[in-house]
Amino acid sequence: MRRVVLPLLLLAVVAAPAASAATTPTRPAYDAQGRLVQTPFAPVEDRPTLNENSATKVFLNHIKVANWLGRYAKSNRTTDAEFDKTRQDWKVNVWDRRAGQIATGRVHDETEVVTEAWTGPQVAWKMARGYPGAFGGRQLESPVIWLGFCAVFLAGLLDFRRLRSVRNLDLLVLLSFSVSLWLFNDGHVFASVPLA
């Protein structure tokens, strides 16, 4: 029994440092001649495929942005773009010297697709971009609840004896603003405002 246990113990003592050396190194290892034989694992940082100029060019060529920027002189325009590592996209901003910021948006780095493009009042006012829940939360803006409120409003104030009265017409006009609000909540500011 001693003959078996002693060699196993000796093997365990010799193998323990070798096992710990086989784990991931924390610093570079060199051989006797000073050549690098092993380096610690360091994750390679993903480098963006686009650069600031190419991301800006993709954004400026987007049809919505190009149409809006046609109103401003190119000589007064400045741009910048910044890479967002967590979202893997570029945030691009466009300024005019006289008007201030006139466009902003995002360009996906790998696909070179403009995922967001905001111009005019949508640049400064995030509520005009059509994000869900911008006004009243997601529940109030849901069609079922909103149309339910409209029905209660109409049923409570409608004159059923004189359906063709001016009062009932006024109620319908007030409810028609819901169409403008619906367009505004979806980010269609330029259709919503004239309709109101």
Side-chain angles (χ1 to χ4, degrees):
M1 177 87 171
R2 248 176 150 172
R3 289 183 184 175
V4 175
V5 173
L6 191 60
L8 284 176
L9 241 164
L10 187 61
L11 183 63
V13 169
V14 171
S20 67
T23 61
T24 306
T26 57
R27 59 182 81 152
Y30 299 92
D31 66 2
Q33 284 79 32
R35 294 179 290 210
L36 182 67
V37 291
Q38 191 175 15
T39 59
F41 173 77
V44 178
E45 188 175 311
D46 288 338
R47 304 193 112 214
T49 57
L50 296 173
N51 59 28
E52 184 176 345
N53 292 334
S54 57
T56 303
K57 185 176 179 182
V58 168
F59 181 71
L60 294 178
N61 289 332
H62 187 265
I63 190 163
K64 179 180 178 181
V65 177
N67 287 341
W68 186 260
L69 295 182
R71 304 166 194 231
Y72 302 93
K74 282 186 178 181
S75 59
N76 291 336
R77 188 183 307 158
T78 58
T79 62
D80 80 351
E82 185 178 342
F83 183 67
D84 186 346
K85 291 179 182 178
T86 57
R87 292 180 61 155
Q88 292 295 306
D89 67 0
W90 291 85
K91 183 173 185 196
V92 183
N93 299 304
V94 183
W95 285 275
D96 182 77
R97 271 188 233 153
R98 295 183 192 141
Q101 190 173 9
I102 54 177
T104 187
R106 295 190 170 275
V107 178
H108 191 265
D109 186 57
E110 288 183 20
T111 60
E112 298 182 22
V113 172
V114 176
T115 56
E116 291 183 17
W118 308 113
T119 58
Q122 293 175 320
V123 173
W125 198 25
K126 290 185 178 181
M127 291 178 119
R129 297 180 184 179
Y131 292 135
F135 288 103
R138 295 176 194 263
Q139 289 81 17
L140 182 61
E141 291 178 3
S142 72
V144 173
I145 292 177
W146 187 259
L147 291 175
F149 281 138
C150 290
V152 169
F153 173 78
L154 193 61
L157 298 174
L158 193 69
D159 186 0
F160 291 102
R161 290 180 286 173
R162 291 180 289 161
L163 290 177
R164 292 186 179 184
S165 66
V166 175
R167 175 183 171 175
N168 291 345
L169 182 63
D170 286 344
L171 293 174
L172 292 176
V173 169
L174 284 172
L175 288 176
S176 70
F177 285 111
S178 293
V179 176
S180 176
L181 179 65
W182 174 67
L183 288 170
F184 188 84
N185 284 340
D186 278 350
H188 303 292
V189 178
F190 299 107
S192 169
V193 173
L195 185 62

